[in-house]
Amino acid sequence: MSDAPLSPDERAGIVRDGLAVGIATGAYGVGFGAVSVASGLSVAQTCVLSLLMFTGASQFALAGVVAAGGAPLSGAATALLLGTRNTLYGLRMAPLLRWRGWRRAAAAHVLIDESTAMAVNRGTTAAARLGFLTTGLAVFVLWNVATAIGAFAGEAVGDPRTFGLDAAVGAAFLALLWPRLADRRNVLVGVLAAAVALSVVPLTAPGVPVLAAGGVAVLVGVLGTGGDPTEVPGPDDVAGGHR
Amino acid sequence: MWTAVLVAGVGCYLLKLAGLSLPERVLSHPTVERVADLIPVALLAALVAVQVFSGGTSLTVDARVLGLGFAVVALLLRAPFLVVVVGASVVAALARLV
């Protein structure tokens, strides 16, 4: 890892890319805000999720489980399971970013799909840090503003079924899943997980089927062979994978 | 609900911090990596299924299926996230009007 300083052109390019990803991702924060309120969370709870949890798929998962009638804590468990992928991103990013102390603690908050994607392929620590920070901060600010807008709009709508907001939740999850379906093994796991979840819907409390499907991942992962590298998102995968 | 929001929020932050702080060898076992890669796939697929085909503790088929159909087509056409999500709602809402 070299420590060469960045040229002004490189700098401007990295900042521009980060801001563009921030805007694209922020736009779907509106979707999260509306879906979360439609799921039964208050505007305040919705905004706190975006400020504190700040990892889109986990936030959608918590809202989704609650919307299906699940206990809030099974929603929290699902959100935490989805959050484990950020731990793997962190392992990959740590030697690249090389931050210590409070900087590392602060950087951890904006360690998400997008900031990882825009930093992981940079050649130097300076470029990785700049890509990580501009993307992370741009997404953080715009995601939170957009969440608040979506939440107030969702509240104004009232019954989520009126504008088909209940259908938006499934579509949002599919869009988050989509970039991962390029891999055939993932398609198999996805189909299996969906089948397991639906088959236990009539037997268990809402929220449990999704957690049961997590068991499919564990089972296939343990029984599987071949050490594939961790799937870290690349620049093409950000903002739902289809900018 | 607040408990769930705060517990999951703080927990997700700690998961991120752990990634930046732990030495890489702690989690570099291939099985751990495979499971961690597959968890988002399994959970998201299950969430799609449960969101679209269930109401509480029963299986149902309603206008949400048409919304999901729209989402599939939109994703195949590489439409942006908002088009996928808003379009799915509009399709479901229109189906309920008919």
Side-chain angles (χ1 to χ4, degrees), chain A residues 106-131:
Chain A
H109 194 55
V110 292
L111 175 68
I112 51 170
D113 296 308
E114 289 80 9
S115 54
T116 301
M118 300 308 285
V120 75
N121 294 325
R122 309 280 182 202
T124 65
T125 290
R129 285 179 174 178
L130 185 65

Side-chain angles (χ1 to χ4, degrees), chain A residues 27-28 44-45 48-49 52-54 61-62 64 66 68 72 76 78-88 90-91 94 104-105 108-109 111 161-164 166-175 177-178 180 185-186 189-190 193-194 197-198 201-202 204 206 210 213-214 217-218 220-222 224-226 228-231 242, chain B residues 1-25 27-28 30-59 62-64 67-68 71-72 75-76 78-82 84-86 88-90 92-93 96:
Chain A
Y28 83 81
Q45 286 161 344
V48 167
L49 274 182
L52 184 64
M53 183 182 285
F54 187 53
L62 194 151
V66 171
T78 309
L80 286 169
L81 268 182
L82 270 171
T84 55
R85 79 193 183 296
N86 289 329
T87 308
L88 293 182
L91 288 175
R104 181 160 68 192
H109 194 55
L111 175 68
R161 291 171 51 90
T162 316
F163 292 108
D166 53 338
V169 190
F173 286 124
L174 187 66
L177 175 63
W178 200 260
R180 296 177 187 268
R185 184 196 54 180
N186 285 356
V189 168
L198 288 183
V201 159
T204 59
V210 175
V218 176
V220 174
V222 170
T225 49
D228 353 80
T230 302
E231 285 172 33
H242 38 269
Chain B
M1 181 64 79
W2 272 113
T3 312
V5 166
L6 296 177
V7 165
V10 171
C12 280
Y13 171 74
L14 292 177
L15 285 169
K16 296 174 187 172
L17 185 61
L20 282 184
S21 307
L22 291 171
E24 189 158 8
R25 62 172 186 283
L27 291 178
S28 67
T31 305
V32 175
E33 288 198 6
R34 255 198 320 275
V35 171
D37 281 344
L38 291 175
I39 279 177
V41 176
L43 292 186
L44 290 171
L47 282 162
V48 172
V50 169
Q51 286 304 314
V52 176
F53 296 103
S54 85
T57 54
S58 59
L59 298 179
D62 63 18
R64 287 173 295 175
L68 188 71
V72 171
L75 286 165
L76 284 172
R78 301 181 65 79
F81 186 88
L82 265 194
V84 174
V85 173
V86 173
S89 343
V90 170
R96 288 194 181 118

Side-chain angles (χ1 to χ4, degrees), chain A:
Chain A
M1 190 70 45
S2 82
D3 280 316
L6 294 171
S7 75
D9 278 358
E10 280 178 286
R11 203 162 250 290
I14 293 173
V15 170
R16 199 170 49 236
D17 287 353
L19 292 178
V21 172
I23 291 166
T25 311
Y28 83 81
V30 176
F32 169 71
V35 160
S36 175
V37 169
S39 305
L41 283 86
S42 67
V43 171
Q45 286 161 344
T46 300
C47 290
V48 167
L49 274 182
S50 278
L51 283 167
L52 184 64
M53 183 182 285
F54 187 53
T55 171
S58 293
Q59 295 178 223
F60 269 110
L62 194 151
V65 169
V66 171
L73 284 178
S74 38
T78 309
L80 286 169
L81 268 182
L82 270 171
T84 55
R85 79 193 183 296
N86 289 329
T87 308
L88 293 182
Y89 296 166
L91 288 175
R92 180 65 64 87
M93 298 303 296
L96 199 54
L97 296 173
R98 293 193 291 175
W99 271 313
R100 298 255 166 269
W102 70 268
R103 287 191 180 81
R104 181 160 68 192
H109 194 55
V110 292
L111 175 68
I112 51 170
D113 296 308
E114 289 80 9
S115 54
T116 301
M118 300 308 285
V120 75
N121 294 325
R122 309 280 182 202
T124 65
T125 290
R129 285 179 174 178
L130 185 65
F132 182 85
L133 275 187
T134 43
T135 309
L137 291 178
V139 173
F140 184 76
V141 170
L142 292 166
W143 174 257
N144 277 288
V145 170
T147 297
I149 294 171
F152 282 112
E155 197 183 42
V157 167
D159 181 2
R161 291 171 51 90
T162 316
F163 292 108
L165 273 180
D166 53 338
V169 190
F173 286 124
L174 187 66
L176 291 170
L177 175 63
W178 200 260
R180 296 177 187 268
L181 294 183
D183 179 313
R184 190 175 292 174
R185 184 196 54 180
N186 285 356
V187 173
L188 186 74
V189 168
V191 170
L192 214 58
V196 166
L198 288 183
S199 65
V200 299
V201 159
L203 311 172
T204 59
V208 177
V210 175
L211 289 174
V216 173
V218 176
L219 203 65
V220 174
V222 170
L223 297 178
T225 49
D228 353 80
T230 302
E231 285 172 33
V232 170
D236 294 336
D237 294 327
V238 291
H242 38 269
R243 278 192 294 161

